[in-house]
Amino acid sequence: QKEVEQNSGPLSVPEGAIASLNCTYSDRGSQSFFWYRQYSGKSPELIMSIYSNGDKEDGRFTAQLNKASQYVSLLIRDSQPSDSATYLCAVNGDNTNAGKSTFGDGTTLTVKP
Amino acid sequence: DGGITQSPKYLFRKEGQNVTLSCEQNLNHDAMYWYRQDPGQGLRLIYYSQIVNDFQKGDIAEGYSVSREKKESFPLTVTSAQKNPTAFYLCASSIAKSYNEQFFGPGTRLTVL
C-alpha cells in the first residue's frame, strides 16, 4: 500500500462545475497536508496547506481534512479551463520525521469549456 | 526577486558520466530538498537538508550525492552508479521543518544519451 494515495484519474469536469480531488494517507501521525498544482512540463506550485481537522477556504479552493479517516480533499468551485493540471497531494511526517514530505502520484484534472 | 533557481534547464549525459545539477535559493530558507519525477508519477525524495553541513537520504538516494556548504546552495550530483537517471529533477526549499510548505524551482530535465 502506498503511503499517500490519490484518485488515479484523469478527472474531467465541465467549466463552472465543482471538481473534487481526494487523497488518503497511511501515517496516522502525519501533521501537515498540502495540495500542489503542476502544469504539464512545469514544477509544482503550492496552492493550499491545512493542518487541523475541518475546512479551509481560499478563493475558489477548499481543502478538507479528516485525520480520523486519514483523508484530505481539495474542492475547486467554478472550475476554469486554466485549472486543468495535475494536482499533487503531499503529507508531512510525524514529529520524528517532520522534515520529510511524501507525495501522491497526482490526479490529472481537465476542465472542458 | 526572491526565489529558487535551477540550472541547467536541460542536461544531456553520456553513459558513465557524473553530472551536477545546481540549486540556489535567496529566500533565506533553512531546509532544501531534491526530488525526482518520472513521467506520470509523483515526486520521489532523493536527499534533503535541514541545516548547513548536514543532509539526510531520502527514499531513492542510491547513485546520487549532495553537499550543503552554504545555506543558499544545495547541488545534486548524479553519478554513473545511477543506472536510470533520465527524469525531471526538482529542487525545493522550506522555511521551517515543522510546517514544511515547500517552494519549488523550475526543474532540470536530464536525459541520458
Side-chain angles (χ1 to χ4, degrees), chain A residues 17-75:
Chain A
I18 296 175
S20 177
L21 305 163
N22 303 315
C23 174
T24 58
Y25 59 94
S26 60
D27 183 354
R28 189 169 287 279
S30 298
Q31 300 289 318
S32 310
F33 308 86
F34 309 94
W35 284 99
Y36 292 84
R37 177 177 62 200
Q38 186 176 24
Y39 292 114
S40 181
K42 302 296 185 182
S43 61
E45 171 193 12
L46 179 69
I47 54 172
M48 288 289 284
S49 57
I50 187 166
Y51 308 103
S52 55
N53 282 329
D55 294 1
K56 179 181 177 182
E57 186 174 319
D58 184 1
R60 296 185 296 111
F61 298 97
T62 299
Q64 300 174 317
L65 175 62
N66 184 327
K67 288 187 178 181
S69 300
Q70 295 174 241
Y71 174 91
V72 58
S73 66
L74 179 70
L75 300 177

Side-chain angles (χ1 to χ4, degrees), chain B residues 11-39:
Chain B
L11 184 58
F12 299 91
R13 192 192 94 168
K14 294 181 180 179
E15 293 284 348
Q17 253 185 350
N18 292 355
V19 292
T20 297
L21 283 59
S22 170
C23 177
E24 304 276 334
Q25 55 97 1
N26 61 5
L27 301 168
N28 200 31
H29 284 175
D30 292 309
M32 297 186 74
Y33 312 82
W34 274 106
Y35 294 92
R36 168 182 172 143
Q37 188 175 37
D38 293 285

Side-chain angles (χ1 to χ4, degrees), chain B residues 2-107:
Chain B
I4 304 173
T5 58
Q6 291 185 243
S7 62
K9 186 174 181 179
Y10 298 97
L11 184 58
F12 299 91
R13 192 192 94 168
K14 294 181 180 179
E15 293 284 348
Q17 253 185 350
N18 292 355
V19 292
T20 297
L21 283 59
S22 170
C23 177
E24 304 276 334
Q25 55 97 1
N26 61 5
L27 301 168
N28 200 31
H29 284 175
D30 292 309
M32 297 186 74
Y33 312 82
W34 274 106
Y35 294 92
R36 168 182 172 143
Q37 188 175 37
D38 293 285
Q41 297 188 26
L43 279 62
R44 290 186 290 168
L45 183 64
I46 304 173
Y47 270 98
Y48 63 107
S49 169
Q50 305 287 355
I51 196 170
V52 173
N53 292 323
D54 188 40
F55 47 83
Q56 288 77 40
K57 291 182 178 180
D59 300 315
I60 56 165
E62 185 175 351
Y64 300 97
S65 66
V66 294
S67 63
R68 187 86 186 276
E69 297 177 0
K70 297 187 299 182
K71 187 176 184 178
E72 302 80 15
S73 178
F74 192 41
L76 173 74
T77 297
V78 184
T79 75
S80 57
Q82 172 50 238
K83 297 306 179 188
N84 186 23
T86 295
F88 188 37
Y89 289 87
L90 290 156
C91 179
S93 68
S94 66
I95 190 168
K97 182 173 108 169
S98 60
Y99 290 99
N100 205 38
E101 292 182 338
Q102 296 186 20
F103 298 89
F104 286 84

